[in-house]
Amino acid sequence: TIKAALLDQTGIAGVGNIQAAEALWRAGIAPRTPCDRVGQGAWARLARELPAQLARVIEAQQADEIVYLTSEGGPNPFQVYGRGGAPCAVCGTPIARDRVAGRVDFACPTCQPMPA
């Protein structure tokens, strides 16, 4: 799957579970999409969104306090990660929680549809 490929450090080093989930959401790609089913447009969006997501994280870590994972009841800095059941910021559909490539995953079933 595309999520497993992003997490495989031999392809692109430095992409972790949270950043993969966030970049896939921003690119509109379902995490369980097989790599050979990711279309050219989706690859182009991912090529744009993945470095942009990593840049957002690096910028956020320049702050006095690094927010990696939120504490219970604290603010969540992510758009989908850790937001299972909450409404998607774009469409309002509840964010789905799943397990992909052995890791917990969060995605919007409406914004990140599986390809036909």
Side-chain angles (χ1 to χ4, degrees):
T1 66
I2 188 65
K3 175 79 179 262
L6 290 175
L7 295 177
D8 179 357
Q9 299 297 295
T10 61
I12 302 173
V15 179
N17 189 42
I18 293 173
Q19 303 321 318
E22 294 289 306
L24 288 169
W25 175 74
R26 291 176 184 281
I29 302 169
R32 289 186 175 277
T33 303
C35 288
D36 64 357
R37 303 272 310 277
V38 177
Q40 283 185 325
W43 280 116
R45 289 190 309 274
L46 184 58
R48 181 181 63 245
E49 294 300 337
L50 187 55
Q53 177 60 33
L54 294 174
R56 281 187 281 278
V57 171
I58 291 167
E59 184 178 318
Q61 290 183 348
Q62 301 301 317
D64 292 337
E65 183 177 335
I66 296 174
V67 179
Y68 180 66
L69 293 174
T70 62
S71 58
E72 190 70 31
N76 181 339
F78 306 111
Q79 296 297 310
V80 292
Y81 190 85
R83 295 190 181 274
C88 173
V90 171
C91 72
T93 301
I95 299 294
R97 184 180 191 276
D98 196 5
R99 187 163 282 288
V100 180
R103 306 293 302 273
V104 67
D105 187 66
F106 298 90
C108 175
T110 300
C111 293
Q112 297 172 263
M114 282 294 291

